[in-house]
Amino acid sequence: MCKALIIGAGGVGTVVTQKIAANPVFTEVMLASRTKSKCDAVAAAIGGNRVKTAQVDADSVAELCALFRAFKPDIVVNVALPYQDLTIMDACLECGCNYLDTANYEPKDEAHFEYSWQWAYQDRFKAAGLTAILGCGFDPGVTAIFTAYAAKHHFDEIHYLDIVDCNAGNHGMAFATNFNPEINIREVTQKGRYYENGKWVVTEPHEIHRPLNYPGIGERESYVIYHEELESLVKNYPTIRRARFWMTFGQEYLTHLRVIQNIGMARIDPIIYNGVEIVPIQFLKAVLPDPKSLGANYHGQTSIGCRIRGVKDGKERTYYIYNNCDHEAAFKETGTQAVSFTTGVPAALGASMWAKGLWRGAGVFNVEEFDPDPFLAELGPQGLPWHELFDVDIEV
């Protein structure tokens, strides 16, 4: 039996808390964030005094350690901001807690993310006999587990991997982001990057694009951007010759994004306004719709999966494994939209894999390093059914 502490009370944290609270493998559950009232609202919605709540500043190792020592969690599920990954990992090491997150670290003052900072914790987690599980959302997360499943069951060698992420939903807003606006805008305005023949190829933002067809949705313009799971997947599957990540964007979204950049509102460096130091993108976050508020009016589906080409028994084959998630169904179950749901469900399930002893080890691990089978066996019953297509035109 297991005590779980969740840090972060946004849309993803709401889903994680609901799923963990509903799982009897977790004997005690706590939700903590900078704003305790948000935690209290999530706990009240779940009811039954199942979820304890606390206030914590995840930028402070001292505050985190005080909370960890008081609650004594077995595993800490980090769905706070990516800036806070390292302080939470530091606190886990100091207090003897296992760790899981959904997105890799990025420094606050630079729009750049990679696994090197967290992989550097390998020796310390190994020496402490603790498990750190990185990137257990959907992408990264399920997409890497899909790849591991394909490698285990359907390929002797994976040669080409294309991760495709389509959000065909409509929330009725002129402009809104599906998760934290600050993180979202930083991510999608960076230069593109993909892996080919042992090297990383850098492109201008949204330079490479083409229409792709998504099951149950149809054709959507899709853009190559950089996403962190590419970094770990090409490391753990060295037969990969090319790996890319594609994401759909509507023209209205891209127009708004371009204006935001052109007028300086995407800046991450501080400016002085009326004698007060502010960061433009943080001010923008304050005036944009809260992603958690979008669910009530969200319609349509997401479709996320892996399109793979490789060799099995000496023959070339293609394979497409994916999930479609309905925004309205996600809202009905959890009060959140599908992007929060598809990230939160895998995080809760990954914590359950650790709690059951199925995903364990001393050190720092990306999710594809664990057995994909028990995870995928539970993913559908938890609300994210997945589908396979063999030897079809994967378009990429």
Side-chain angles (χ1 to χ4, degrees):
M1 308 307 274
C2 178
K3 294 174 70 172
L5 171 62
I6 302 134
I7 301 177
V12 175
T14 298
V15 176
V16 173
T17 306
Q18 289 184 26
K19 290 292 184 179
I20 282 181
N23 189 334
V25 76
F26 297 102
T27 51
E28 293 185 51
V29 183
M30 175 176 279
L31 175 61
S33 80
R34 192 185 302 269
T35 308
K36 187 174 181 292
S37 60
K38 292 182 178 180
C39 302
D40 293 338
V42 174
I46 292 169
N49 297 317
R50 172 70 164 129
V51 178
K52 298 180 175 69
T53 63
Q55 190 278 331
V56 72
D57 179 359
D59 290 320
S60 167
V61 174
E63 279 197 31
L64 289 163
C65 284
L67 179 61
F68 293 0
R69 290 186 178 114
F71 182 63
K72 296 181 173 58
D74 298 297
I75 188 165
V76 174
V77 179
N78 169 19
V79 286
L81 295 173
Y83 317 141
Q84 297 162 329
D85 288 1
L86 302 190
T87 53
I88 297 173
M89 291 179 80
D90 286 336
C92 284
L93 283 169
E94 189 170 326
C95 300
C97 305
N98 298 279
Y99 172 89
L100 179 145
D101 69 29
T102 63
N104 70 359
Y105 172 75
E106 61 177 283
K108 203 166 191 176
D109 58 356
E110 183 184 1
H112 175 78
F113 51 95
E114 62 181 54
Y115 276 119
S116 61
W117 289 288
Q118 291 179 277
W119 285 344
Y121 279 67
Q122 169 69 15
D123 290 345
R124 280 174 283 173
F125 270 85
K126 193 170 184 178
L130 297 170
T131 306
I133 301 172
L134 307 184
C136 195
F138 205 103
D139 46 347
V142 175
T143 50
I145 296 163
F146 281 166
T147 304
Y149 185 82
K152 180 177 179 179
H153 296 286
H154 302 311
F155 289 91
D156 297 322
E157 292 186 1
I158 292 175
H159 292 162
Y160 300 95
L161 169 66
D162 285 274
I163 298 170
V164 293
D165 181 327
C166 171
N167 181 5
N170 180 11
H171 46 57
M173 299 283 186
F175 182 83
T177 61
N178 294 296
F179 55 95
N180 184 291
E182 187 178 352
I183 303 303
N184 181 259
I185 291 170
R186 283 166 59 124
E187 175 183 308
V188 302
T189 56
Q190 289 186 57
K191 287 183 182 289
R193 191 153 66 106
Y194 66 92
Y195 179 86
E196 188 164 30
N197 297 326
K199 297 179 180 178
W200 290 100
V201 180
V202 178
T203 71
E204 290 303 311
H206 313 135
E207 177 185 344
I208 298 175
H209 59 96
R210 58 163 296 176
L212 297 175
N213 286 283
Y214 295 87
I217 292 170
E219 187 177 275
R220 291 291 189 277
E221 196 69 18
S222 306
Y223 298 79
V224 170
I225 67 170
Y226 177 67
H227 228 244
E228 62 250 52
E229 65 262 49
L230 299 180
E231 185 182 12
S232 67
L233 288 169
V234 299
K235 172 175 172 270
N236 289 317
Y237 298 97
T239 63
I240 292 177
R241 300 172 185 173
R242 187 186 67 210
R244 299 178 295 192
F245 186 99
W246 302 76
M247 183 172 279
T248 62
F249 302 109
Q251 285 306 308
E252 187 175 10
Y253 177 90
L254 291 176
T255 299
H256 277 84
L257 198 62
R258 188 163 55 250
V259 171
I260 286 168
Q261 289 178 280
N262 288 344
I263 64 175
M265 289 304 298
R267 286 174 56 174
I268 62 174
D269 55 312
I271 63 169
I272 301 299
Y273 174 73
N274 282 351
V276 178
E277 184 176 280
I278 66 167
V279 176
I281 198 170
Q282 293 177 356
F283 174 79
L284 179 66
K285 172 187 172 182
V287 298
L288 285 175
D290 181 349
K292 194 173 178 179
S293 72
L294 300 176
N297 297 307
Y298 227 135
H299 310 287
Q301 294 183 324
T302 62
S303 182
I304 310 173
C306 299
R307 303 184 185 194
I308 299 172
R309 250 193 303 153
V311 173
K312 178 71 173 177
D313 298 328
K315 296 180 181 178
E316 269 208 11
R317 79 174 321 175
T318 63
Y319 177 67
Y320 183 14
I321 179 170
Y322 67 93
N323 160 265
N324 277 28
C325 183
D326 183 82
H327 284 287
E328 292 179 68
F331 183 76
K332 185 176 180 180
E333 181 178 347
T334 63
T336 67
Q337 34 91 353
V339 178
S340 296
F341 189 83
T342 55
T343 306
V345 169
L349 185 50
S352 170
M353 292 292 104
W354 183 88
K356 293 175 180 178
L358 298 170
W359 282 10
R360 289 205 182 181
V364 175
F365 301 88
N366 292 90
V367 291
E368 66 268 20
E369 297 178 78
F370 297 109
D371 184 1
D373 291 1
F375 182 96
L376 290 180
E378 291 192 38
L379 187 63
Q382 288 296 319
L384 294 174
W386 47 280
H387 313 277
E388 301 173 281
L389 298 174
F390 296 89
D391 300 317
V392 295
D393 178 10
I394 55 173
E395 300 183 299
V396 289

